[in-house]
Amino acid sequence: RRAEAAAQIGQRGDSVMPIAYANPSLYAIFGLVRSLKQAYKSAGHSGEPEIVCAIHTYVGETAAATEAEARPAMDLYNRTRLYPGVKSRSYDILKQDGLIAVGGPDEVIATVRRYQEAGFTKFLALMDFGGLNFDQVAGSMRRFCEKVVPAFE
């Protein structure tokens, strides 16, 4: 069903913004991108379709700080914000499967690059989730701007 929907979006020439967390796997998301791009080109649209990646993101100062801050927030979010048809998965599974961009700057850069290489054209960092406090969100945003964004300029 998702591949058919992606193909219809591509045929119409529309943009799409999947939320990584709400998909069954990284490979499923990348398959949707392929389906959309193929249908977009087959329909005769010029250029590339806009494909935005919306992914829960937390850039920590250290691995220990990231785990202490992001894990409980993502676990709370996971327990309370399930989308219809989305199976609940642990922080470890979401991170291992690349469905969240959480870690130090290098780890987040690597995750964003995977999505970029799969054909996503924009990255939407969902940074305020699961009860993170203002200082945690602001700190993650600052680190994202200072340490992650320059890798893509």
Side-chain angles (χ1 to χ4, degrees):
R1 252 163 77 184
R2 290 174 186 241
E4 290 172 17
Q8 289 175 0
I9 291 166
Q11 287 170 349
R12 289 193 312 255
D14 291 337
S15 301
V16 68
M17 184 183 75
I19 298 173
Y21 158 86
N23 282 275
S25 73
L26 191 61
Y27 301 105
I29 297 169
F30 292 174
L32 295 177
V33 170
R34 280 191 303 278
S35 294
L36 186 143
K37 289 179 100 170
Q38 288 170 352
Y40 187 91
K41 288 187 190 294
S42 294
H45 300 291
S46 61
E48 292 289 324
E50 182 175 84
I51 307 173
V52 180
C53 168
I55 185 167
H56 293 82
T57 304
Y58 190 85
V59 183
E61 286 191 47
T62 66
T66 300
E67 288 293 311
E69 296 166 359
R71 177 186 292 275
M74 195 67 222
D75 283 342
L76 176 62
Y77 185 89
N78 190 29
R79 286 192 312 273
T80 60
R81 299 284 185 214
L82 289 178
Y83 297 91
V86 175
K87 185 175 101 177
S88 177
R89 291 164 288 185
S90 71
Y91 169 88
D92 291 323
I93 295 296
L94 292 168
K95 188 170 177 183
Q96 171 189 308
D97 289 352
L99 297 172
I100 57 176
V102 175
D106 290 341
E107 192 172 359
V108 173
I109 288 167
T111 301
V112 175
R113 282 211 195 285
R114 265 182 291 195
Y115 282 85
Q116 184 181 41
E117 290 165 1
F120 284 87
T121 58
K122 293 191 172 141
F123 182 83
L124 173 64
L126 304 171
M127 300 185 100
D128 187 2
F129 57 87
L132 289 167
N133 68 45
F134 176 84
D135 290 336
Q136 291 170 321
V137 174
S140 177
M141 291 172 74
R142 182 181 38 75
R143 288 183 291 276
F144 187 84
C145 292
E146 292 173 356
K147 299 179 180 180
V148 175
V149 171
F152 298 92
E153 295 179 326

